[in-house]
Amino acid sequence: MSEKSWLHSKWMLTIVACTALLYILIMGILLFVSGRTPGMYYQYNLLPFETIRPLLMERERYNTDTWVKNLFGNIVLFIPLGIWIPWLFRRCRTFLTFTATAVLLLLGVEFIQLITRVGSFDVDDIILNTIGAWIGYAGLNLLFLSQRRTRN
């Protein structure tokens, strides 16, 4: 009988689930409540790389705060998504299933922003958020891989 990894112990799964709930609460506040009011003139972007391209190619047009917030903020804030989805949901551990789940979830968030006119619907946000989730997914896989190696 093999020893159960501490990564999959009940207490660790409870910690991950609680941090995931806290993450969802914080992201809900950041995305839908914090300093945002529904706008009369709603902006949206349906063209991939329409907002990313100028930030990368014409960086001198933007102050550092805008550049960092729009590019790195959209990536870093979604790294936890790549950790807790496959950790908590066994079906989402393959790359394609995880990616499909993350993209559908992110599309749902952007769609809610579109309907409520809070924030803005931007396909580039989905791209950057997915990159962040992939970074979290890769980090989690490295953690699981290192745990397997130490057990063998």
Side-chain angles (χ1 to χ4, degrees):
M1 184 153 103
S2 66
E3 182 183 330
K4 193 174 188 179
S5 164
W6 65 271
L7 290 170
H8 299 292
S9 65
K10 284 186 181 188
W11 65 269
M12 184 54 102
L13 290 173
T14 302
I15 290 170
V16 172
C18 288
T19 57
L21 289 173
L22 182 61
Y23 171 80
I24 290 168
L25 177 66
I26 291 169
M27 291 305 289
I29 291 168
L30 286 174
L31 293 170
F32 301 110
V33 179
S34 179
R36 297 178 187 253
T37 56
M40 200 171 190
Y41 301 103
Y42 186 76
Q43 294 181 341
Y44 57 91
N45 171 39
L46 302 175
L47 299 171
F49 303 103
E50 186 74 15
T51 55
I52 295 172
R53 186 180 304 107
L55 288 167
L56 292 175
M57 304 305 224
E58 303 164 23
R59 186 168 173 228
E60 64 281 350
R61 275 183 39 194
Y62 303 94
N63 66 39
T64 304
D65 186 49
T66 300
W67 193 80
V68 168
K69 180 182 171 190
N70 283 298
L71 288 178
F72 292 105
N74 275 315
I75 292 172
V76 170
L77 284 174
F78 287 87
I79 290 173
L81 191 69
I83 296 169
W84 64 261
I85 286 178
W87 201 329
L88 294 174
F89 304 101
R90 189 174 287 264
R91 289 183 180 167
C92 295
R93 290 193 180 155
T94 66
F95 182 75
L96 289 177
T97 305
F98 165 74
T99 299
T101 302
V103 168
L104 285 173
L105 184 62
L106 296 167
L107 186 60
V109 167
E110 293 294 319
F111 189 68
I112 291 169
Q113 288 181 327
L114 179 67
I115 291 172
T116 62
R117 294 181 177 241
V118 174
S120 64
F121 183 96
D122 191 341
V123 71
D124 287 349
D125 285 350
I126 296 171
I127 293 168
L128 293 169
N129 298 164
T130 301
I131 291 169
W134 283 341
I135 292 169
Y137 179 84
L140 181 67
N141 279 323
L142 288 173
L143 178 65
F144 284 166
L145 183 63
S146 70
Q147 178 65 25
R148 268 189 246 129
R149 285 185 180 161
T150 59
R151 287 179 51 207
N152 290 336

